[in-house]
Amino acid sequence: KNEVEQSPQNLTAQEGEFITINCSYSVGISALHWLQQHPGGGIVSLFMLSSGKKKHGRLIATINIQEKHSSLHITASHPRDSAVYICAVKNTGNQFYFGTGTSLTVIP
Amino acid sequence: EAGVAQSPRYKIIEKRQSVAFWCNPISGHATLYWYQQILGQGPKLLIQFQNNGVVDDSQLPKDRFSAERLKGVDSTLKIQPAKLEDSAVYLCASSSLQGVGEKLFFGSGTQLSVL
């Protein structure tokens, strides 16, 4: 069993829809990261959070430490949001664990 | 600020051949990671350096993989000999902070195809 589980694995949405990607983890963490990976491109860090909620533009990330769960929301989705979104956690031993990613396709 | 540089971008080799990847982290970043990302999976840590010392290489297949960061700046990852299952994207990442505030910066990766 992976330390980090993401759902869904694949997601197709119409432009303008509200999107939610979920991440659950089983280890004690010091921080959780949401990453974005475009086809053929490198990985970009979107958020790093250890509690509460962060917002950047149309992206919102929340974390519930007690439930070991985080969500990434995209409001008013756009085709350029199409990418793989990866949840990664850093455990208390300073090791990173990565989820397998959620492949998002936003259709115009 | 220049990002993490990796080369080559793509590499195609036959099984049993050798291959080397290069990574130049962001200037001043003490921590450097090599990850292997197989299609459809998340990145898997191969090795972590702190300056020129190895912090974690527990998942590095040491019979065929080696990595070095001699001067604590750029790093090379080598596979010798390559197997079909080594086909993957090899990602280099660096960071300047340890602990809770650590943020990873990734290179574009090297896509390796072993035929």
Side-chain angles (χ1 to χ4, degrees):
Chain A
K1 186 182 185 300
N2 290 337
E3 291 82 2
V4 180
E5 298 280 354
Q6 284 185 238
S7 64
Q9 274 193 311
N10 297 285
L11 181 57
T12 301
Q14 288 292 134
E15 183 173 357
E17 284 187 4
F18 180 83
I19 289 162
T20 296
I21 300 170
N22 296 298
C23 174
S24 296
Y25 53 91
S26 58
V27 296
I29 70 167
S30 58
L32 182 143
H33 298 249
W34 279 103
L35 310 169
Q36 182 191 56
Q37 186 173 30
H38 281 280
I43 297 175
V44 175
S45 179
L46 297 174
F47 293 104
M48 179 182 65
L49 61 165
S50 54
S51 65
K53 175 179 171 179
K54 284 190 177 180
K55 185 176 189 292
H56 185 256
R58 295 180 294 105
L59 302 178
I60 303 167
T62 64
I63 187 168
N64 184 318
I65 297 294
Q66 287 73 30
E67 294 185 4
K68 294 189 173 181
H69 181 268
S70 174
S71 293
L72 176 68
H73 305 286
I74 305 176
T75 61
S77 59
H78 191 276
R80 64 175 174 266
D81 297 327
S82 298
V84 174
Y85 293 84
I86 301 172
C87 172
V89 301
K90 187 172 186 184
N91 73 357
T92 49
N94 282 331
Q95 290 176 310
F96 278 98
Y97 295 93
F98 292 81
T100 54
T102 294
S103 179
L104 171 67
T105 303
V106 181
I107 300 170
Chain B
E1 178 184 76
V4 177
Q6 285 190 249
S7 67
R9 188 74 179 87
Y10 302 94
K11 190 74 178 178
I12 301 173
I13 61 172
E14 294 184 346
K15 60 182 180 183
R16 290 188 288 273
Q17 285 187 321
S18 302
V19 64
F21 312 126
W22 175 82
C23 172
N24 191 7
I26 292 174
S27 178
H29 281 194
T31 307
L32 185 148
Y33 303 84
W34 282 104
Y35 290 94
Q36 180 193 58
Q37 187 177 23
I38 292 172
L39 188 64
Q41 299 181 19
K44 172 191 145 188
L45 177 69
L46 293 175
I47 190 166
Q48 177 187 347
F49 291 96
Q50 182 73 17
N51 296 308
N52 61 347
V54 175
V55 174
D56 184 355
D57 64 356
S58 57
Q59 297 192 78
L60 186 73
K62 297 181 186 65
D63 57 333
R64 298 183 301 105
F65 285 65
S66 64
E68 59 184 16
R69 194 185 183 199
L70 293 175
K71 296 181 180 178
V73 181
D74 54 353
S75 175
T76 55
L77 175 70
K78 296 179 182 177
I79 308 175
Q80 180 181 13
K83 293 185 176 181
L84 296 176
E85 58 261 34
D86 298 331
S87 295
V89 175
Y90 290 85
L91 294 163
C92 178
S94 69
S95 70
S96 60
L97 284 176
Q98 285 285 284
V100 175
E102 183 175 9
K103 185 176 177 181
L104 293 178
F105 294 83
F106 286 85
S108 296
T110 295
Q111 186 166 328
L112 174 67
S113 297
V114 182
L115 307 178

